[in-house]
Amino acid sequence: MSMDFLTDVAELFEKYNIPFEEANRYLYNEDGSLKSLDDPFVREFMDIVHSVFPIRDTASATVKNCPDISSLSDDELYDRLADLLWDGYSSNDTVKTCFVVYEFEMEFANGGVEQYFVNTKGEHFFELIECLSLINATSYAEKCKNFISKNNISDTTFLKYVDDISCEDIGEAYPYDELEKDILTVYYDDPLSKYIVEYVRLNKNEFNKN
């Protein structure tokens, strides 16, 4: 991703006086769908995105001119996931499942469990457990379940809590390092990316709609 893209995004947020950590609230509806392009901020943000990722079709959450999934190697398919899952949370259940896991995988790979919670406010964390099970990443699902149980976290309480506090406070809310260490015991020998790719291949018809 180019520095020009990041600079343009930063300038847009400054223009509309929107805190970067609250991006999701300004861009997406409660059901996860993109807000109307009649909103100037949303429209300008999408213009910036399309200038960098012109092949994405935000209306259908699929990719134009993308090779058939079966023709891609595992590495090539993984590299395409950002495109395949564009706006995936408001797509069909299969794509949504993959999106929730991929969101966690990307945040974890770039900064660990704490980064996942800070950047996403843990919005899909309770769905993540079910989604991990659906893609057969059961060891990851169990580790997340254990973290919830050990820290007495309930979905309704947690989501209300994170909605009312700052991202900085979220980063200090729970012992994320414990979950991170637990995940790292399997992360390299049994990578989560493997399960994501296998799930996409098994359900390729849900992703190859153009």
Side-chain angles (χ1 to χ4, degrees):
M1 188 172 294
S2 70
M3 288 302 297
D4 287 343
F5 172 80
L6 297 176
T7 299
D8 289 345
V9 169
E11 290 177 350
L12 179 65
F13 276 76
E14 183 177 357
K15 173 182 176 181
Y16 287 94
N17 195 29
I18 293 175
F20 188 74
E21 62 269 19
E22 296 183 19
N24 284 348
R25 184 161 68 88
Y26 287 89
L27 290 168
Y28 298 99
N29 298 308
E30 291 184 359
D31 64 359
S33 61
L34 186 70
K35 288 189 174 182
S36 172
L37 294 177
D38 290 337
D39 183 311
F41 170 71
V42 177
R43 184 173 62 252
E44 290 182 43
F45 179 83
M46 295 310 298
D47 285 344
I48 294 172
V49 170
H50 288 151
S51 71
V52 180
F53 306 107
I55 66 172
R56 290 173 173 173
D57 177 359
T58 58
S60 62
T62 56
V63 182
K64 295 180 178 179
N65 303 322
C66 180
D68 186 274
I69 286 171
S70 60
S71 71
L72 301 174
S73 69
D74 286 352
D75 288 342
E76 289 171 335
L77 177 53
Y78 189 80
D79 289 341
R80 289 276 188 169
L81 285 177
D83 292 320
L84 289 169
L85 299 174
W86 178 247
D87 202 25
Y89 193 76
S90 59
S91 187
N92 62 65
D93 288 343
T94 302
V95 177
K96 179 178 175 180
T97 293
C98 193
F99 172 86
V100 170
V101 178
Y102 180 69
E103 176 185 58
F104 176 78
E105 157 67 4
M106 291 302 293
E107 295 292 354
F108 185 87
N110 287 316
V113 172
E114 183 175 338
Q115 176 170 307
Y116 167 74
F117 279 95
V118 169
N119 286 353
T120 70
K121 282 200 167 186
E123 182 180 9
H124 303 137
F125 183 58
F126 282 83
E127 295 170 82
L128 173 66
I129 297 171
E130 179 182 1
C131 292
L132 286 167
S133 297
L134 287 171
I135 71 169
N136 291 321
T138 53
S139 61
Y140 288 87
E142 284 301 316
K143 293 178 186 304
C144 291
K145 284 181 184 178
N146 292 339
F147 177 75
I148 285 174
S149 176
K150 184 176 180 179
N151 291 281
N152 298 313
I153 307 172
S154 71
D155 54 351
T156 52
T157 302
F158 176 77
L159 291 175
K160 183 180 185 305
Y161 171 67
V162 299
D163 195 44
D164 293 338
I165 67 174
S166 69
C167 287
E168 180 179 352
D169 290 332
I170 292 173
E172 300 173 353
Y174 297 102
Y176 303 121
D177 59 322
E178 294 181 6
L179 176 57
E180 184 165 329
K181 288 177 182 178
D182 201 16
I183 289 176
L184 284 173
T185 62
V186 297
Y187 186 74
Y188 294 107
D189 292 333
D190 191 26
L192 186 54
S193 58
K194 175 188 71 175
Y195 294 98
I196 298 173
V197 168
E198 288 176 352
Y199 182 78
V200 173
R201 290 199 187 283
L202 285 171
N203 299 278
K204 65 179 183 179
N205 290 337
E206 298 297 324
F207 295 87
N208 258 342
K209 296 175 181 177
N210 293 303

